[in-house]
Amino acid sequence: MNIVERPLVFSCHGDWSYGILSLPAAPAARGVLIVVGGPQYRVGSHRQFTLLARHLAAQGIPAMRFDYRGMGDSQGNVRDFEEISDDIRAAVDAFFAESPGLQEVVIWGLCDAASAAIFYAASDSRICGLVLLNPWVRTEEGIARAYLKHYYLKRAFDPDLWKKIMQGRFDGRAAWRSLRTMLETVRRPVKQNGGEIAPWGTGHGGAPALPERMHEGLRRFNGKVLLVLSGNDMTAQEFSDLAKTSRKWQKFLRGPNVQQHQLAGANHTFSQEAWRNQVAQWTTDWIRSW
């Protein structure tokens, strides 16, 4: 299918933001807005966002990717994922203004962009779905648990580690201090509302921790969710561990509006072509399935 790519410029609180619109010849009514995560811009790691947008457009699905304020070519101060709801709203407005026939939008986000999409989704009735890849639920308690379970245990059976020990090249004191710090961190469970022990603790000043606020965002969102987790990624492991230790997260993930995929061997940013292609195909199939 022939597609057209067109640059976009739109304003968010007086700053100019820049994006790229990928339009098929006969656009579907449901489009995809790709939100950038972390210190990246609209191309994405390994050009994943560019390739994904073109793949979607080739399948008849209009797509838009953009730099939020402070990132890439866009103006404004640098801000983190908890401060970009206004940027996402401005991008959705621009997407609708420039895409004839667009009726609803799926937000696609990797890592902390997935978290930002969750925070925004319930506030905008135009958002019908979320594609969440390796969502960022980082807390001190969560990452400590993930490292203890997935890194230290694997490390203990690593021949290279024992080779270093035998050759006297291993700093045992530093390793023990690191391990002890993580053990102390995971021994600080905090009760949340309803009496459930929250392994992720609390946020700054006793505010709800990031996983708690993300769950609340998803609880308020009435649309559909596609969750994709990499098989070789500590962020994905942290999310999986969180889900396994929380009844309300388990309940949400078992819900009728949630579909899940795990991509064995894939790293955090899907650096191999086969992994990126699989994610693009899962995204396309899911959007067309409802």
Side-chain angles (χ1 to χ4, degrees), residues 154-185:
K154 182 179 178 182
R155 184 71 167 146
F157 294 96
D158 186 348
D160 287 341
L161 170 64
W162 292 103
K163 185 177 179 180
K164 284 185 177 179
I165 293 175
M166 296 297 291
Q167 295 175 343
R169 296 187 293 114
F170 181 73
D171 188 344
R173 290 185 178 180
W176 168 245
R177 284 196 298 270
S178 175
L179 177 60
R180 186 178 61 186
T181 298
M182 292 196 177
L183 289 170
E184 291 173 351
T185 300

Side-chain angles (χ1 to χ4, degrees), residues 100-113:
L102 189 67
Q103 296 180 10
E104 56 188 11
V105 167
V106 169
I107 299 180
W108 191 104
L110 165 67
C111 192
D112 59 11

Side-chain angles (χ1 to χ4, degrees), residues 49-100:
F49 302 162
T50 298
L51 298 171
L52 174 65
R54 291 174 179 172
H55 172 87
L56 293 169
Q59 304 302 313
I61 301 170
M64 176 179 164
R65 49 198 166 91
F66 72 105
D67 301 336
Y68 57 74
R69 288 173 296 168
M71 289 292 178
D73 292 321
S74 294
Q75 297 178 333
N77 296 325
V78 176
R79 61 205 70 220
D80 71 16
F81 69 97
E82 300 205 50
E83 305 171 300
I84 62 170
S85 286
D86 288 348
D87 301 75
I88 296 175
R89 185 176 298 280
V92 174
D93 291 344
F95 198 1
F96 271 82
E98 298 293 334
S99 303

Side-chain angles (χ1 to χ4, degrees), residues 133-286:
L133 297 93
N134 302 327
W136 177 261
V137 290
R138 180 62 43 87
T139 64
E140 290 183 2
E141 292 82 359
I143 192 60
R145 285 178 181 274
Y147 265 99
L148 286 171
K149 181 177 179 180
H150 302 288
Y151 174 75
Y152 280 96
L153 185 59
K154 182 179 178 182
R155 184 71 167 146
F157 294 96
D158 186 348
D160 287 341
L161 170 64
W162 292 103
K163 185 177 179 180
K164 284 185 177 179
I165 293 175
M166 296 297 291
Q167 295 175 343
R169 296 187 293 114
F170 181 73
D171 188 344
R173 290 185 178 180
W176 168 245
R177 284 196 298 270
S178 175
L179 177 60
R180 186 178 61 186
T181 298
M182 292 196 177
L183 289 170
E184 291 173 351
T185 300
V186 301
R187 290 171 180 164
R188 299 183 304 195
V190 178
K191 282 192 174 183
Q192 299 289 315
N193 293 336
E196 181 176 0
I197 298 296
W200 51 82
T202 60
H204 295 297
L210 176 60
E212 184 76 12
R213 290 183 286 126
M214 289 172 62
H215 180 272
E216 176 61 18
L218 288 169
R219 189 190 65 79
R220 293 171 50 233
F221 178 56
N222 294 320
K224 295 182 178 295
V225 174
L226 173 62
L227 174 66
V228 178
L229 298 178
S230 295
N232 184 25
D233 174 42
M234 197 59 70
T235 300
Q237 295 287 4
E238 189 177 353
F239 181 88
S240 295
D241 291 344
L242 159 73
K244 291 174 182 175
T245 55
S246 170
R247 291 190 298 272
K248 58 186 178 183
W249 271 98
Q250 292 170 20
K251 181 180 179 181
F252 171 78
L253 293 173
R254 289 196 301 266
N257 290 330
V258 180
Q259 184 177 123
Q260 301 182 52
H261 289 293
Q262 182 154 14
L263 193 49
N267 58 16
H268 185 63
T269 55
F270 304 92
S271 61
Q272 294 187 11
E273 181 181 7
W275 297 336
R276 294 190 296 275
N277 289 343
Q278 181 63 80
V279 168
Q281 193 59 54
W282 279 339
T283 301
T284 303
D285 293 343
W286 178 74

Side-chain angles (χ1 to χ4, degrees), residues 116-127:
I118 290 171
F119 288 145
Y120 177 78
S123 70
D124 191 336
S125 61
R126 297 171 295 181
I127 308 305

